[in-house]
PDB file of all heavy atoms in Angstrom:
ATOM      1  N   THR A 206     121.464  74.240 185.388  1.00 93.00           N
ATOM      2  CA  THR A 206     121.539  75.381 184.463  1.00 93.00           C
ATOM      3  C   THR A 206     122.419  75.103 183.292  1.00 93.00           C
ATOM      4  O   THR A 206     123.588  74.675 183.509  1.00 93.00           O
ATOM      5  CB  THR A 206     121.889  76.705 185.185  1.00 93.00           C
ATOM      6  OG1 THR A 206     120.998  76.954 186.191  1.00 93.00           O
ATOM      7  CG2 THR A 206     121.841  77.885 184.145  1.00 93.00           C
ATOM      8  N   LEU A 207     121.930  75.348 182.071  1.00 92.00           N
ATOM      9  CA  LEU A 207     122.705  75.057 180.873  1.00 92.00           C
ATOM     10  C   LEU A 207     122.989  76.378 180.215  1.00 92.00           C
ATOM     11  O   LEU A 207     122.081  77.179 179.938  1.00 92.00           O
ATOM     12  CB  LEU A 207     121.886  74.160 179.897  1.00 92.00           C
ATOM     13  CG  LEU A 207     122.678  73.559 178.750  1.00 92.00           C
ATOM     14  CD1 LEU A 207     123.768  72.639 179.283  1.00 92.00           C
ATOM     15  CD2 LEU A 207     121.703  72.771 177.843  1.00 92.00           C
ATOM     16  N   VAL A 208     124.294  76.621 179.941  1.00 92.00           N
ATOM     17  CA  VAL A 208     124.677  77.894 179.289  1.00 92.00           C
ATOM     18  C   VAL A 208     124.899  77.645 177.805  1.00 92.00           C
ATOM     19  O   VAL A 208     125.622  76.729 177.462  1.00 92.00           O
ATOM     20  CB  VAL A 208     126.050  78.467 179.911  1.00 92.00           C
ATOM     21  CG1 VAL A 208     126.476  79.681 179.099  1.00 92.00           C
ATOM     22  CG2 VAL A 208     125.840  78.722 181.331  1.00 92.00           C
ATOM     23  N   LEU A 209     124.176  78.344 176.976  1.00 92.00           N
ATOM     24  CA  LEU A 209     124.220  78.191 175.539  1.00 92.00           C
ATOM     25  C   LEU A 209     124.927  79.405 174.894  1.00 92.00           C
ATOM     26  O   LEU A 209     124.676  80.567 175.271  1.00 92.00           O
ATOM     27  CB  LEU A 209     122.851  78.131 174.897  1.00 92.00           C
ATOM     28  CG  LEU A 209     121.848  76.929 175.544  1.00 92.00           C
ATOM     29  CD1 LEU A 209     120.550  76.994 174.868  1.00 92.00           C
ATOM     30  CD2 LEU A 209     122.528  75.695 175.386  1.00 92.00           C
ATOM     31  N   ILE A 210     125.845  79.080 173.985  1.00 92.00           N
ATOM     32  CA  ILE A 210     126.559  80.180 173.204  1.00 92.00           C
ATOM     33  C   ILE A 210     126.379  79.770 171.734  1.00 92.00           C
ATOM     34  O   ILE A 210     126.792  78.713 171.284  1.00 92.00           O
ATOM     35  CB  ILE A 210     128.032  80.202 173.637  1.00 92.00           C
ATOM     36  CG1 ILE A 210     128.149  80.567 175.157  1.00 92.00           C
ATOM     37  CG2 ILE A 210     128.699  81.307 172.758  1.00 92.00           C
ATOM     38  CD1 ILE A 210     129.547  80.544 175.651  1.00 92.00           C
ATOM     39  N   SER A 211     126.034  80.791 170.843  1.00 90.00           N
ATOM     40  CA  SER A 211     125.927  80.557 169.483  1.00 90.00           C
ATOM     41  C   SER A 211     125.873  81.823 168.745  1.00 90.00           C
ATOM     42  O   SER A 211     126.312  82.881 169.281  1.00 90.00           O
ATOM     43  CB  SER A 211     124.464  79.854 169.247  1.00 90.00           C
ATOM     44  OG  SER A 211     124.374  79.466 167.847  1.00 90.00           O
ATOM     45  N   SER A 212     125.548  81.788 167.453  1.00 89.00           N
ATOM     46  CA  SER A 212     125.466  83.048 166.640  1.00 89.00           C
ATOM     47  C   SER A 212     123.934  83.319 166.373  1.00 89.00           C
ATOM     48  O   SER A 212     123.208  82.452 166.001  1.00 89.00           O
ATOM     49  CB  SER A 212     126.115  82.806 165.327  1.00 89.00           C
ATOM     50  OG  SER A 212     127.559  82.630 165.524  1.00 89.00           O
ATOM     51  N   GLY A 213     123.609  84.632 166.530  1.00 87.00           N
ATOM     52  CA  GLY A 213     122.232  84.951 166.352  1.00 87.00           C
ATOM     53  C   GLY A 213     121.929  85.522 165.073  1.00 87.00           C
ATOM     54  O   GLY A 213     122.821  85.450 164.039  1.00 87.00           O
ATOM     55  N   TYR A 214     120.823  86.207 164.903  1.00 88.00           N
ATOM     56  CA  TYR A 214     120.290  86.738 163.609  1.00 88.00           C
ATOM     57  C   TYR A 214     121.304  87.864 163.198  1.00 88.00           C
ATOM     58  O   TYR A 214     121.705  88.711 163.903  1.00 88.00           O
ATOM     59  CB  TYR A 214     118.947  87.292 163.827  1.00 88.00           C
ATOM     60  CG  TYR A 214     118.294  87.787 162.642  1.00 88.00           C
ATOM     61  CD1 TYR A 214     118.087  86.895 161.477  1.00 88.00           C
ATOM     62  CD2 TYR A 214     117.716  89.041 162.516  1.00 88.00           C
ATOM     63  CE1 TYR A 214     117.456  87.380 160.345  1.00 88.00           C
ATOM     64  CE2 TYR A 214     117.071  89.518 161.393  1.00 88.00           C
ATOM     65  CZ  TYR A 214     116.969  88.610 160.244  1.00 88.00           C
ATOM     66  OH  TYR A 214     116.304  89.112 159.150  1.00 88.00           O
ATOM     67  N   HIS A 215     121.644  87.837 161.829  1.00 84.00           N
ATOM     68  CA  HIS A 215     122.560  88.784 161.272  1.00 84.00           C
ATOM     69  C   HIS A 215     123.936  88.877 161.899  1.00 84.00           C
ATOM     70  O   HIS A 215     124.526  89.887 162.108  1.00 84.00           O
ATOM     71  CB  HIS A 215     121.939  90.196 161.235  1.00 84.00           C
ATOM     72  CG  HIS A 215     120.929  90.398 160.143  1.00 84.00           C
ATOM     73  ND1 HIS A 215     121.127  89.784 158.872  1.00 84.00           N
ATOM     74  CD2 HIS A 215     119.734  91.140 160.106  1.00 84.00           C
ATOM     75  CE1 HIS A 215     120.082  90.181 158.151  1.00 84.00           C
ATOM     76  NE2 HIS A 215     119.204  90.915 158.821  1.00 84.00           N
ATOM     77  N   GLY A 216     124.343  87.693 162.412  1.00 81.00           N
ATOM     78  CA  GLY A 216     125.731  87.596 163.022  1.00 81.00           C
ATOM     79  C   GLY A 216     125.777  88.035 164.403  1.00 81.00           C
ATOM     80  O   GLY A 216     126.920  88.155 165.073  1.00 81.00           O
ATOM     81  N   ALA A 217     124.623  88.421 165.108  1.00 83.00           N
ATOM     82  CA  ALA A 217     124.664  88.852 166.500  1.00 83.00           C
ATOM     83  C   ALA A 217     125.075  87.748 167.426  1.00 83.00           C
ATOM     84  O   ALA A 217     124.837  86.580 167.113  1.00 83.00           O
ATOM     85  CB  ALA A 217     123.338  89.420 166.882  1.00 83.00           C
ATOM     86  N   SER A 218     125.714  88.104 168.539  1.00 87.00           N
ATOM     87  CA  SER A 218     126.045  87.091 169.551  1.00 87.00           C
ATOM     88  C   SER A 218     124.802  86.615 170.218  1.00 87.00           C
ATOM     89  O   SER A 218     123.921  87.325 170.491  1.00 87.00           O
ATOM     90  CB  SER A 218     127.085  87.763 170.560  1.00 87.00           C
ATOM     91  OG  SER A 218     128.291  88.120 169.941  1.00 87.00           O
ATOM     92  N   ALA A 219     124.864  85.344 170.421  1.00 89.00           N
ATOM     93  CA  ALA A 219     123.719  84.608 171.154  1.00 89.00           C
ATOM     94  C   ALA A 219     124.272  83.971 172.340  1.00 89.00           C
ATOM     95  O   ALA A 219     125.154  83.037 172.237  1.00 89.00           O
ATOM     96  CB  ALA A 219     123.005  83.689 170.187  1.00 89.00           C
ATOM     97  N   ALA A 220     123.830  84.281 173.519  1.00 90.00           N
ATOM     98  CA  ALA A 220     124.277  83.718 174.817  1.00 90.00           C
ATOM     99  C   ALA A 220     123.165  83.743 175.798  1.00 90.00           C
ATOM    100  O   ALA A 220     122.409  84.686 175.849  1.00 90.00           O
ATOM    101  CB  ALA A 220     125.546  84.337 175.287  1.00 90.00           C
ATOM    102  N   GLY A 221     123.061  82.685 176.650  1.00 91.00           N
ATOM    103  CA  GLY A 221     122.035  82.730 177.600  1.00 91.00           C
ATOM    104  C   GLY A 221     122.138  81.514 178.612  1.00 91.00           C
ATOM    105  O   GLY A 221     122.777  80.510 178.191  1.00 91.00           O
ATOM    106  N   ALA A 222     121.617  81.689 179.853  1.00 93.00           N
ATOM    107  CA  ALA A 222     121.638  80.584 180.722  1.00 93.00           C
ATOM    108  C   ALA A 222     120.138  80.152 180.906  1.00 93.00           C
ATOM    109  O   ALA A 222     119.297  80.998 181.112  1.00 93.00           O
ATOM    110  CB  ALA A 222     122.245  81.060 182.098  1.00 93.00           C
ATOM    111  N   TYR A 223     119.971  78.815 180.855  1.00 93.00           N
ATOM    112  CA  TYR A 223     118.580  78.259 180.854  1.00 93.00           C
ATOM    113  C   TYR A 223     118.490  77.110 181.824  1.00 93.00           C
ATOM    114  O   TYR A 223     119.333  76.261 181.874  1.00 93.00           O
ATOM    115  CB  TYR A 223     118.197  77.832 179.420  1.00 93.00           C
ATOM    116  CG  TYR A 223     118.157  78.929 178.388  1.00 93.00           C
ATOM    117  CD1 TYR A 223     119.385  79.269 177.673  1.00 93.00           C
ATOM    118  CD2 TYR A 223     117.134  79.731 178.307  1.00 93.00           C
ATOM    119  CE1 TYR A 223     119.403  80.245 176.773  1.00 93.00           C
ATOM    120  CE2 TYR A 223     117.086  80.822 177.365  1.00 93.00           C
ATOM    121  CZ  TYR A 223     118.174  81.039 176.673  1.00 93.00           C
ATOM    122  OH  TYR A 223     118.252  82.140 175.768  1.00 93.00           O
ATOM    123  N   LEU A 224     117.382  77.133 182.513  1.00 93.00           N
ATOM    124  CA  LEU A 224     117.086  76.039 183.501  1.00 93.00           C
ATOM    125  C   LEU A 224     116.630  74.813 182.820  1.00 93.00           C
ATOM    126  O   LEU A 224     115.676  74.950 181.946  1.00 93.00           O
ATOM    127  CB  LEU A 224     116.054  76.584 184.570  1.00 93.00           C
ATOM    128  CG  LEU A 224     115.829  75.600 185.688  1.00 93.00           C
ATOM    129  CD1 LEU A 224     116.930  75.363 186.620  1.00 93.00           C
ATOM    130  CD2 LEU A 224     114.575  76.141 186.484  1.00 93.00           C
ATOM    131  N   VAL A 225     117.193  73.688 183.148  1.00 94.00           N
ATOM    132  CA  VAL A 225     116.713  72.417 182.657  1.00 94.00           C
ATOM    133  C   VAL A 225     115.435  71.959 183.446  1.00 94.00           C
ATOM    134  O   VAL A 225     115.475  71.656 184.566  1.00 94.00           O
ATOM    135  CB  VAL A 225     117.790  71.273 182.700  1.00 94.00           C
ATOM    136  CG1 VAL A 225     117.214  69.981 182.147  1.00 94.00           C
ATOM    137  CG2 VAL A 225     119.050  71.697 181.939  1.00 94.00           C
ATOM    138  N   LYS A 226     114.295  71.990 182.689  1.00 93.00           N
ATOM    139  CA  LYS A 226     113.053  71.690 183.341  1.00 93.00           C
ATOM    140  C   LYS A 226     112.499  70.286 183.168  1.00 93.00           C
ATOM    141  O   LYS A 226     111.590  69.820 183.854  1.00 93.00           O
ATOM    142  CB  LYS A 226     111.913  72.730 182.893  1.00 93.00           C
ATOM    143  CG  LYS A 226     112.166  74.142 183.359  1.00 93.00           C
ATOM    144  CD  LYS A 226     111.015  74.965 182.885  1.00 93.00           C
ATOM    145  CE  LYS A 226     111.248  76.428 183.441  1.00 93.00           C
ATOM    146  NZ  LYS A 226     110.065  77.330 183.175  1.00 93.00           N
ATOM    147  N   GLY A 227     113.173  69.564 182.263  1.00 93.00           N
ATOM    148  CA  GLY A 227     112.700  68.136 181.943  1.00 93.00           C
ATOM    149  C   GLY A 227     113.611  67.519 181.015  1.00 93.00           C
ATOM    150  O   GLY A 227     114.308  68.151 180.292  1.00 93.00           O
ATOM    151  N   LEU A 228     113.569  66.134 180.969  1.00 93.00           N
ATOM    152  CA  LEU A 228     114.295  65.401 179.939  1.00 93.00           C
ATOM    153  C   LEU A 228     113.350  64.605 179.163  1.00 93.00           C
ATOM    154  O   LEU A 228     112.431  64.025 179.606  1.00 93.00           O
ATOM    155  CB  LEU A 228     115.251  64.495 180.813  1.00 93.00           C
ATOM    156  CG  LEU A 228     116.245  65.102 181.675  1.00 93.00           C
ATOM    157  CD1 LEU A 228     117.179  64.030 182.263  1.00 93.00           C
ATOM    158  CD2 LEU A 228     117.186  66.116 180.820  1.00 93.00           C
ATOM    159  N   ILE A 229     113.628  64.498 177.878  1.00 90.00           N
ATOM    160  CA  ILE A 229     112.795  63.755 176.933  1.00 90.00           C
ATOM    161  C   ILE A 229     113.606  62.625 176.369  1.00 90.00           C
ATOM    162  O   ILE A 229     114.769  62.771 175.977  1.00 90.00           O
ATOM    163  CB  ILE A 229     112.297  64.690 175.692  1.00 90.00           C
ATOM    164  CG1 ILE A 229     111.525  65.848 176.298  1.00 90.00           C
ATOM    165  CG2 ILE A 229     111.502  63.848 174.748  1.00 90.00           C
ATOM    166  CD1 ILE A 229     111.175  66.883 175.171  1.00 90.00           C
ATOM    167  N   LYS A 230     112.942  61.423 176.298  1.00 84.00           N
ATOM    168  CA  LYS A 230     113.639  60.257 175.645  1.00 84.00           C
ATOM    169  C   LYS A 230     112.981  59.906 174.342  1.00 84.00           C
ATOM    170  O   LYS A 230     111.759  59.710 174.301  1.00 84.00           O
ATOM    171  CB  LYS A 230     113.501  59.027 176.619  1.00 84.00           C
ATOM    172  CG  LYS A 230     114.314  57.854 176.023  1.00 84.00           C
ATOM    173  CD  LYS A 230     114.258  56.598 176.926  1.00 84.00           C
ATOM    174  CE  LYS A 230     114.886  55.423 176.278  1.00 84.00           C
ATOM    175  NZ  LYS A 230     114.892  54.264 177.069  1.00 84.00           N
ATOM    176  N   PHE A 231     113.754  60.042 173.256  1.00 78.00           N
ATOM    177  CA  PHE A 231     113.250  59.719 171.988  1.00 78.00           C
ATOM    178  C   PHE A 231     113.667  58.389 171.523  1.00 78.00           C
ATOM    179  O   PHE A 231     114.761  57.953 171.866  1.00 78.00           O
ATOM    180  CB  PHE A 231     113.771  60.718 170.922  1.00 78.00           C
ATOM    181  CG  PHE A 231     112.912  62.032 170.787  1.00 78.00           C
ATOM    182  CD1 PHE A 231     113.370  63.172 171.379  1.00 78.00           C
ATOM    183  CD2 PHE A 231     111.682  62.059 170.163  1.00 78.00           C
ATOM    184  CE1 PHE A 231     112.556  64.298 171.330  1.00 78.00           C
ATOM    185  CE2 PHE A 231     111.005  63.192 170.035  1.00 78.00           C
ATOM    186  CZ  PHE A 231     111.473  64.330 170.662  1.00 78.00           C
ATOM    187  N   PRO A 232     112.819  57.592 170.747  1.00 73.00           N
ATOM    188  CA  PRO A 232     113.180  56.344 170.213  1.00 73.00           C
ATOM    189  C   PRO A 232     114.361  56.434 169.206  1.00 73.00           C
ATOM    190  O   PRO A 232     115.063  55.517 169.017  1.00 73.00           O
ATOM    191  CB  PRO A 232     111.973  55.848 169.530  1.00 73.00           C
ATOM    192  CG  PRO A 232     110.870  56.583 170.196  1.00 73.00           C
ATOM    193  CD  PRO A 232     111.388  57.983 170.493  1.00 73.00           C
ATOM    194  N   SER A 233     114.516  57.616 168.586  1.00 73.00           N
ATOM    195  CA  SER A 233     115.504  57.874 167.619  1.00 73.00           C
ATOM    196  C   SER A 233     116.800  58.316 168.351  1.00 73.00           C
ATOM    197  O   SER A 233     116.816  59.331 168.969  1.00 73.00           O
ATOM    198  CB  SER A 233     115.178  58.922 166.604  1.00 73.00           C
ATOM    199  OG  SER A 233     116.265  59.320 165.815  1.00 73.00           O
ATOM    200  N   PRO A 234     117.897  57.528 168.307  1.00 75.00           N
ATOM    201  CA  PRO A 234     119.131  57.882 169.018  1.00 75.00           C
ATOM    202  C   PRO A 234     119.683  59.259 168.585  1.00 75.00           C
ATOM    203  O   PRO A 234     120.280  59.992 169.282  1.00 75.00           O
ATOM    204  CB  PRO A 234     120.092  56.777 168.635  1.00 75.00           C
ATOM    205  CG  PRO A 234     119.204  55.591 168.314  1.00 75.00           C
ATOM    206  CD  PRO A 234     118.008  56.176 167.686  1.00 75.00           C
ATOM    207  N   GLU A 235     119.506  59.575 167.188  1.00 75.00           N
ATOM    208  CA  GLU A 235     120.019  60.818 166.687  1.00 75.00           C
ATOM    209  C   GLU A 235     119.281  62.026 167.340  1.00 75.00           C
ATOM    210  O   GLU A 235     119.971  62.956 167.734  1.00 75.00           O
ATOM    211  CB  GLU A 235     119.811  60.814 165.148  1.00 75.00           C
ATOM    212  CG  GLU A 235     120.368  62.083 164.543  1.00 75.00           C
ATOM    213  CD  GLU A 235     120.174  62.034 162.975  1.00 75.00           C
ATOM    214  OE1 GLU A 235     119.613  61.110 162.510  1.00 75.00           O
ATOM    215  OE2 GLU A 235     120.619  63.061 162.440  1.00 75.00           O
ATOM    216  N   LEU A 236     117.995  61.961 167.425  1.00 79.00           N
ATOM    217  CA  LEU A 236     117.252  63.007 168.141  1.00 79.00           C
ATOM    218  C   LEU A 236     117.565  63.066 169.674  1.00 79.00           C
ATOM    219  O   LEU A 236     117.666  64.093 170.207  1.00 79.00           O
ATOM    220  CB  LEU A 236     115.825  62.891 167.927  1.00 79.00           C
ATOM    221  CG  LEU A 236     115.289  63.021 166.489  1.00 79.00           C
ATOM    222  CD1 LEU A 236     113.704  62.794 166.402  1.00 79.00           C
ATOM    223  CD2 LEU A 236     115.551  64.471 165.922  1.00 79.00           C
ATOM    224  N   ASN A 237     117.752  61.901 170.212  1.00 82.00           N
ATOM    225  CA  ASN A 237     117.863  61.866 171.679  1.00 82.00           C
ATOM    226  C   ASN A 237     119.204  62.316 172.086  1.00 82.00           C
ATOM    227  O   ASN A 237     119.444  62.758 173.191  1.00 82.00           O
ATOM    228  CB  ASN A 237     117.772  60.344 172.018  1.00 82.00           C
ATOM    229  CG  ASN A 237     117.340  60.209 173.542  1.00 82.00           C
ATOM    230  OD1 ASN A 237     116.494  60.865 174.067  1.00 82.00           O
ATOM    231  ND2 ASN A 237     118.122  59.331 174.273  1.00 82.00           N
ATOM    232  N   ASN A 238     120.238  62.356 171.192  1.00 85.00           N
ATOM    233  CA  ASN A 238     121.680  62.719 171.556  1.00 85.00           C
ATOM    234  C   ASN A 238     122.020  64.127 171.197  1.00 85.00           C
ATOM    235  O   ASN A 238     123.171  64.517 171.546  1.00 85.00           O
ATOM    236  CB  ASN A 238     122.540  61.718 170.913  1.00 85.00           C
ATOM    237  CG  ASN A 238     122.479  60.297 171.387  1.00 85.00           C
ATOM    238  OD1 ASN A 238     122.013  60.145 172.652  1.00 85.00           O
ATOM    239  ND2 ASN A 238     122.799  59.349 170.715  1.00 85.00           N
ATOM    240  N   GLN A 239     121.218  64.876 170.534  1.00 85.00           N
ATOM    241  CA  GLN A 239     121.676  66.153 169.983  1.00 85.00           C
ATOM    242  C   GLN A 239     120.689  67.272 170.077  1.00 85.00           C
ATOM    243  O   GLN A 239     120.885  68.384 169.557  1.00 85.00           O
ATOM    244  CB  GLN A 239     122.116  66.046 168.566  1.00 85.00           C
ATOM    245  CG  GLN A 239     121.095  65.667 167.575  1.00 85.00           C
ATOM    246  CD  GLN A 239     121.539  65.534 166.123  1.00 85.00           C
ATOM    247  OE1 GLN A 239     122.696  65.233 165.937  1.00 85.00           O
ATOM    248  NE2 GLN A 239     120.756  65.870 165.159  1.00 85.00           N
ATOM    249  N   MET A 240     119.536  67.070 170.681  1.00 86.00           N
ATOM    250  CA  MET A 240     118.485  68.079 170.617  1.00 86.00           C
ATOM    251  C   MET A 240     118.179  68.762 171.936  1.00 86.00           C
ATOM    252  O   MET A 240     118.178  68.106 173.019  1.00 86.00           O
ATOM    253  CB  MET A 240     117.092  67.471 170.098  1.00 86.00           C
ATOM    254  CG  MET A 240     117.192  66.871 168.720  1.00 86.00           C
ATOM    255  SD  MET A 240     117.477  68.089 167.415  1.00 86.00           S
ATOM    256  CE  MET A 240     115.986  69.008 167.495  1.00 86.00           C
ATOM    257  N   ILE A 241     117.969  70.070 171.884  1.00 90.00           N
ATOM    258  CA  ILE A 241     117.521  70.854 173.055  1.00 90.00           C
ATOM    259  C   ILE A 241     116.203  71.495 172.694  1.00 90.00           C
ATOM    260  O   ILE A 241     116.124  72.089 171.490  1.00 90.00           O
ATOM    261  CB  ILE A 241     118.468  71.887 173.535  1.00 90.00           C
ATOM    262  CG1 ILE A 241     119.748  71.203 174.058  1.00 90.00           C
ATOM    263  CG2 ILE A 241     117.962  72.832 174.556  1.00 90.00           C
ATOM    264  CD1 ILE A 241     120.903  72.224 174.391  1.00 90.00           C
ATOM    265  N   TYR A 242     115.154  71.365 173.461  1.00 90.00           N
ATOM    266  CA  TYR A 242     113.866  72.022 173.148  1.00 90.00           C
ATOM    267  C   TYR A 242     113.718  73.245 174.031  1.00 90.00           C
ATOM    268  O   TYR A 242     113.752  73.083 175.286  1.00 90.00           O
ATOM    269  CB  TYR A 242     112.758  71.041 173.324  1.00 90.00           C
ATOM    270  CG  TYR A 242     112.763  69.937 172.240  1.00 90.00           C
ATOM    271  CD1 TYR A 242     113.564  68.763 172.258  1.00 90.00           C
ATOM    272  CD2 TYR A 242     112.021  70.045 171.044  1.00 90.00           C
ATOM    273  CE1 TYR A 242     113.623  67.919 171.247  1.00 90.00           C
ATOM    274  CE2 TYR A 242     112.079  69.170 170.049  1.00 90.00           C
ATOM    275  CZ  TYR A 242     112.896  68.082 170.145  1.00 90.00           C
ATOM    276  OH  TYR A 242     112.955  67.097 169.097  1.00 90.00           O
ATOM    277  N   MET A 243     113.257  74.387 173.473  1.00 91.00           N
ATOM    278  CA  MET A 243     113.077  75.569 174.162  1.00 91.00           C
ATOM    279  C   MET A 243     111.711  76.138 173.639  1.00 91.00           C
ATOM    280  O   MET A 243     111.290  75.819 172.576  1.00 91.00           O
ATOM    281  CB  MET A 243     114.123  76.649 173.819  1.00 91.00           C
ATOM    282  CG  MET A 243     115.545  76.169 174.148  1.00 91.00           C
ATOM    283  SD  MET A 243     116.838  77.299 173.577  1.00 91.00           S
ATOM    284  CE  MET A 243     116.384  78.736 174.379  1.00 91.00           C
TER     285      MET A 243
END
């Protein structure tokens, strides 16, 4: 489970716990090291 904390629309708090259902390997190291897909 991955807990995400951020800022939402119009400054609202954004928080949630999400189950990791799979891993993606990208040829681009930049995309592979910093992306979460929901």
Side-chain angles (χ1 to χ4, degrees):
T206 299
L207 192 62
V208 177
L209 304 180
I210 301 174
S211 183
S212 297
Y214 187 55
H215 281 323
S218 297
Y223 298 91
L224 182 67
V225 179
K226 293 188 176 181
L228 300 179
I229 302 173
K230 181 179 180 180
F231 274 102
S233 170
E235 184 178 358
L236 292 177
N237 203 48
N238 293 333
Q239 65 181 27
M240 299 295 291
I241 294 175
Y242 288 85
M243 301 170 62

